[in-house]
């Protein structure tokens, strides 16, 4: 079985693995208690075994999976609520299978976002390192050559040399600044408050804003599809899924959509009025509303939006790579030419 580690909050992959394993044992007719017991026996690490032992004990006391998951404190409220609904409706295996796909989708999107952020940071770091070495190590060598020929650097090349001298003289200060920036970036990525700040910053950029909106729409479509498949009403499903949303602007759309539902509008009409889905996606929802296949349509829609997000991020990275390489080449080439051309002129006149 897949490895599952104990931590403050389980990752999307760990949640997906747990749901997959539980759905597997339930579909073959094994009870929840026996299923958790089997998983506990197959635990690969002490931390995993401890977590499953806690779930097992609580399942024996309560006779249900949902309260056991909530008791551990490492499962999100959404999965606990959906497990409770699955147990009440007798569709726990189906709910867990849907949750497996839901958290796989969340991990795929998160992985795409990490890739989009990691690659540019590595490239920018490499660019900075090359330029620093060029300014602090290479430019002083050219300065010595110029002095041996009885000349001094001027213009851009002299400015680059002075910048290199400043970097060398105050290296400790710049290293400290770099460490502070690194800590700040880690804070932005790893902490909840940092991610909130990062998201607010991203709202000022069109690309990140579009990605954030599509991610929110994907989570919404996948979550509501799961809720509807579990037998919930549209209103209750909207209430549950709205709690999952982390996007402020998309949250405003959801609030308006729920208001339209409360006033008697159909689910598809509420989506259209709130502008949650546009274009082809809105047409798909309208058709689903008339055919009574809203849960299936929303699931397919979530998959399509996920693919669209991945394509946008892949396209962004594919454009960013040559752009950064060209930028580095231009900077390095400009610095070297500012030195080499005057040097060649001097040598030609000798």
């Amino acid at each position: 079985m897949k490895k599952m580690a104990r931590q403050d909050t389980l990752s999307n992959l760990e949640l997906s693995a747990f749901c997959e394993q539980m759905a597997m044992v339930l579909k073959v007719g094994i009870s929840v208690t026996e299923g958790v017991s089997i998983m506990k026996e197959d635990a690969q690490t002490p931390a995993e075994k401890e977590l499953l032992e806690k779930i097992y004990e609580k399942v024996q006391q309560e006779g249900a999976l949902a309260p056991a998951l909530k008791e551990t404190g490492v499962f999100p409220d959404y999965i606990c609520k959906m497990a409770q609904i699955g147990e009440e409706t007798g569709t726990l295996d189906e709910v867990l299978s849907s949750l497996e796909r839901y958290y796989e989708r969340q991990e795929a999107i998160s992985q795409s976002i990490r890739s989009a952020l990691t690659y540019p940071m590595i490239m920018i770091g490499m660019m900075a390192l090359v330029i620093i070495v060029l300014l602090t190590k290479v430019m002083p060598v050219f300065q010595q050559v110029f002095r041996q020929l009885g000349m001094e650097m001027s213009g851009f090349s002299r400015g680059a040399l002075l910048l290199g001298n400043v970097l060398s003289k105050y290296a400790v200060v710049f290293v400290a600044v770099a460490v502070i920036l690194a800590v700040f970036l880690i804070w932005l990525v790893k902490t909840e408050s940092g991610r909130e700040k990062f998201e607010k910053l991203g709202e000022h950029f069109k690309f990140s804003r579009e990605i954030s909106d599509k991610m929110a729409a994907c989570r919404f479509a996948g979550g509501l599809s799961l809720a509807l498949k579990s037998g919930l009403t549209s209103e209750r499903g909207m209430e549950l899924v709205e709690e999952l949303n982390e996007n402020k602007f998309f949250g405003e759309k959801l609030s308006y959509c729920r208001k339209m539902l409360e006033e008697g509008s159909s689910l598809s009409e509420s989506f259209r009025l709130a502008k949650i889905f546009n274009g082809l996606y809105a047409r798909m929802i309208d058709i689903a509303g008339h055919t009574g296949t809203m849960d299936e349509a929303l699931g397919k829609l979530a998959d399509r939006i996920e693919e669209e997000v991945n394509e946008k991020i892949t396209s962004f990275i594919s454009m960013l790579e040559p752009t950064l390489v060209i930028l580095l080449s231009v900077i390095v080439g400009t610095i070297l030419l500012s030195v080499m051309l005057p040097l060649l002129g001097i040598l030609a006149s000798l």
Side-chain angles (χ1 to χ4, degrees), residues 48 51 57-58 70 83 86 109 129 196 249 270 336:
E48 181 183 354
L51 175 59
E57 292 175 358
K58 193 65 178 179
K70 188 173 183 180
I109 294 176
L129 181 61
E196 290 178 358
F249 297 104
S270 299
L336 292 177

Side-chain angles (χ1 to χ4, degrees), residues 259-272:
K259 180 181 177 183
M260 293 296 99
L261 276 175
E262 292 172 354
E263 292 179 358
S265 299
S266 65
L267 187 59
S268 57
E269 184 181 6
S270 299
F271 287 160
R272 179 175 55 79

Side-chain angles (χ1 to χ4, degrees), residues 55-269:
I55 295 175
Y56 178 73
E57 292 175 358
K58 193 65 178 179
V59 168
Q60 284 188 312
Q61 294 174 8
E62 300 288 340
L65 180 63
L69 299 182
K70 188 173 183 180
E71 180 72 18
T72 64
V74 298
F75 289 89
D77 289 340
Y78 183 66
I79 196 172
C80 297
K81 291 177 181 177
M82 294 310 299
Q84 180 180 355
I85 293 167
E87 289 177 315
E88 291 175 356
T89 58
T91 57
L92 182 58
D93 56 342
E94 297 178 9
V95 169
L96 289 171
S97 294
S98 298
L99 282 169
E100 174 202 348
R101 174 56 188 147
Y102 174 79
Y103 284 107
E104 280 183 353
R105 182 184 296 117
Q106 301 315 304
E107 178 61 24
I109 294 176
S110 298
Q111 184 62 44
S112 297
I113 297 298
R114 285 194 293 269
S115 298
L117 293 175
T118 301
Y119 181 78
M121 295 305 298
I122 293 175
M123 287 293 295
I124 292 172
M126 292 177 61
M127 287 174 57
L129 181 61
V130 170
I131 293 171
I132 289 173
V133 170
L134 186 60
L135 293 177
T136 59
K137 301 299 182 181
V138 178
M139 293 302 288
V141 174
F142 280 109
Q143 171 70 349
Q144 293 177 4
V145 174
F146 270 87
R147 286 180 177 175
Q148 290 174 359
L149 295 173
M151 301 290 291
E152 290 287 341
M153 287 185 176
S154 61
F156 182 83
S157 59
R158 181 170 180 79
L161 177 65
L162 293 175
L163 178 58
N165 292 336
V166 171
L167 290 175
S168 298
K169 186 177 181 180
Y170 299 101
V172 176
V173 176
F174 288 107
V175 169
V177 172
V179 170
I180 292 173
L181 287 175
V183 172
F184 177 70
L185 289 174
I186 293 173
W187 174 76
L188 281 179
V189 175
K190 296 296 183 179
T191 65
E192 183 176 350
S193 57
R195 285 193 291 267
E196 290 178 358
K197 296 290 183 182
F198 187 74
E199 289 173 0
K200 289 181 180 179
L201 179 64
E203 292 171 0
H204 297 87
F205 301 94
K206 182 180 178 181
F207 175 78
S208 59
R209 188 168 60 247
E210 289 179 353
I211 292 296
S212 178
D213 288 344
K214 288 188 177 298
M215 285 175 56
C218 182
R219 290 193 179 101
F220 167 75
L224 187 56
S225 172
L226 175 55
L228 295 177
K229 285 180 181 178
S230 302
L232 294 181
T233 63
S234 301
E235 292 79 4
R236 179 55 180 158
M238 283 290 298
E239 183 180 343
L240 271 177
V241 177
E242 194 172 359
E243 296 175 2
L244 298 175
N245 178 65
E246 298 176 351
N247 185 301
K248 176 183 176 183
F249 297 104
F250 196 79
E252 294 175 356
K253 293 181 181 180
L254 292 182
S255 297
Y256 184 72
C257 181
R258 195 145 66 93
K259 180 181 177 183
M260 293 296 99
L261 276 175
E262 292 172 354
E263 292 179 358
S265 299
S266 65
L267 187 59
S268 57
E269 184 181 6

